[in-house]
């Protein structure tokens, strides 16, 4: 049990990569709270669910207060909530641009602004920001999404420095998944998917569990001396 009694929040944890992280963390002994705009996760794992829209600033503060009231502390935060609204730049609408910035970037700030300083006060914690290979290398049709995922790598480094001030052992790292078989990737046109899979060194798309295992490493003491790092989990698609 690598996360025994660790109080863990996973945003966007009702499905896909987030749910896989929540389930693995629960199996490793964590008390897991999933915060998601959608329905509660369909799972047998013991998970506490809170309905939360990460773009709603007052709701984020209320959620933070409620978790600290109930559990007394927060040890691990996985900022996983994210959306795509893909379009070529010349066709991208204001709404597509704003929505992705609001959820993927502002949403991350809305919650971490409370949880990071809380961990710093407690002198211990681990924050994991789910970025993307697209934040590292760009992608046709994803100017909005890639901008947020690249921003998140900068935020990771800033928060790693800030929340460790005064001797706190608060670590902040990012994971940059490659193309992982989730509903999000299934929106990619089939011919683009086929091209992508063919260029992965390991010859296949990833699974949500691949990201969950990397998250477990960064959440646990196994990575106690790693902070400000972006871990690429992409089957060799980008080196
Ligand atoms: N590589 C090469 N050419 C491409 C391309 C690609 N990846 N994507 C589009 N093009 C080309 C098209 O072939 C087309 O060329 P022609 O003008 O010669 O016909 C041109 O660009 C315009 O493309 P479309 O006609 O497809 O334009 P569209 O407006 O219908 O669709 C799109 C554009 C919505 C961006 C669509 O191409 C698409 O969905 N692409 C996939 C985007 C993608 O990879 N998203 C990743 C989602 S998963 C995720 O985001 C998770 C993560 O973290 C990785």
């Amino acid at each position: 049990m690598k996360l025994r009694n660790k109080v863990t929040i996973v945003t966007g944890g009702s499905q896909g990569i987030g749910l896989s992280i929540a389930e693995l963390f629960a199996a490793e002994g964590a008390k897991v709270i999933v915060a998601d705009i959608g329905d509660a996760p369909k799972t047998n794992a013991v998970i506490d669910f809170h309905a939360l829209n990460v773009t709603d600033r007052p709701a984020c503060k209320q959620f933070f207060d409620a978790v600290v009231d109930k559990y007394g502390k927060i040890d691990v935060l996985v900022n996983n909530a994210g959306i795509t609204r893909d379009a070529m730049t010349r066709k991208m609408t204001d709404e597509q641009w704003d929505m992705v910035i609001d959820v993927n970037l502002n949403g991350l700030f809305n919650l971490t602004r409370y949880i990071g300083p809380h961990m710093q006060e407690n002198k211990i914690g681990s924050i994991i920001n789910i970025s993307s290979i697209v934040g590292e290398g760009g992608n046709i049709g994803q100017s909005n999404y890639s901008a947020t995922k690249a921003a998140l790598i900068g935020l990771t480094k800033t928060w790693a420095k800030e929340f460790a001030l005064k001797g706190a052992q608060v670590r902040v790292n990012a994971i940059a998944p490659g193309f992982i078989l989730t509903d999000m990737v299934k929106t990619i046109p089939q011919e683009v998917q086929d091209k992508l899979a063919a260029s992965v060194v390991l010859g296949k798309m990833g699974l949500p569990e691949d990201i969950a295992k990397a998250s477990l490493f960064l959440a646990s003491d196994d990575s106690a001396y790693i902070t400000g790092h972006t871990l690429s989990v992409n089957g060799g698609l980008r080196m």
Side-chain angles (χ1 to χ4, degrees):
M1 292 265 186
K2 288 185 186 283
L3 297 177
R4 189 182 294 280
N5 292 329
K6 297 281 186 198
V7 179
T8 299
I9 292 171
V10 183
T11 68
S14 285
Q15 57 175 358
I17 289 174
L19 177 55
S20 189
I21 294 170
E23 288 177 331
L24 181 61
F25 282 22
E28 291 288 337
K31 293 175 177 165
V32 178
I33 302 116
V34 160
D36 197 301
I37 195 173
D39 295 333
K42 292 183 184 71
T43 177
N44 292 326
V46 179
I47 286 169
D48 194 357
F49 173 72
H50 282 244
L52 178 71
N53 179 347
V54 291
T55 69
D56 182 338
R57 291 197 159 126
C60 285
K61 175 72 166 77
Q62 281 163 13
F63 169 67
F64 164 71
D65 289 339
V67 173
V68 173
D69 265 4
K70 180 166 177 187
Y71 293 93
K73 58 167 187 165
I74 299 165
D75 299 297
V76 179
L77 167 65
V78 184
N79 282 312
N80 166 75
I83 60 167
T84 55
R85 291 293 181 275
D86 296 349
M88 303 303 262
T89 301
R90 68 188 151 79
K91 291 188 194 167
M92 187 164 288
T93 63
D94 290 352
E95 197 191 15
Q96 286 173 318
W97 177 265
D98 290 342
M99 215 175 194
V100 171
I101 302 291
D102 210 21
V103 175
N104 298 12
L105 183 55
N106 296 337
L108 195 90
F109 173 70
N110 293 342
L111 212 50
T112 313
R113 70 193 305 181
Y114 303 114
I115 297 177
H118 162 86
M119 289 177 173
Q120 195 189 347
E121 238 170 68
N122 289 346
K123 302 274 183 215
I124 187 94
S126 174
I127 298 174
I128 299 161
N129 296 323
I130 304 298
S131 176
S132 166
I133 190 171
V134 162
E136 299 175 301
N139 193 24
I140 294 168
Q142 291 202 293
S143 52
N144 48 3
Y145 183 81
S146 66
T148 61
K149 294 300 183 178
L152 208 144
I153 292 172
L155 260 177
T156 296
K157 294 174 188 181
T158 291
W159 283 338
K161 291 178 180 181
E162 254 191 46
F163 301 146
L165 286 172
K166 301 189 179 159
Q169 296 299 299
V170 176
R171 301 180 299 104
V172 187
N173 292 289
I175 295 178
F179 288 86
I180 306 298
L181 282 171
T182 62
D183 288 347
M184 191 182 266
V185 164
K186 287 176 199 152
T187 65
I188 306 175
Q190 193 57 48
E191 68 271 19
V192 180
Q193 274 195 51
D194 294 345
K195 256 201 269 174
L196 272 169
S199 39
V200 177
V201 171
L202 294 180
K204 57 187 179 186
M205 301 276 205
L207 297 174
E209 295 74 36
D210 295 318
I211 306 307
K213 287 175 196 164
S215 303
L216 176 61
F217 170 64
L218 290 175
S220 75
D221 287 345
D222 286 351
S223 59
Y225 200 53
I226 298 176
T227 195
H229 185 70
T230 299
L231 180 57
S232 301
V233 183
N234 62 31
L237 180 58
R238 182 179 183 278
M239 295 185 188

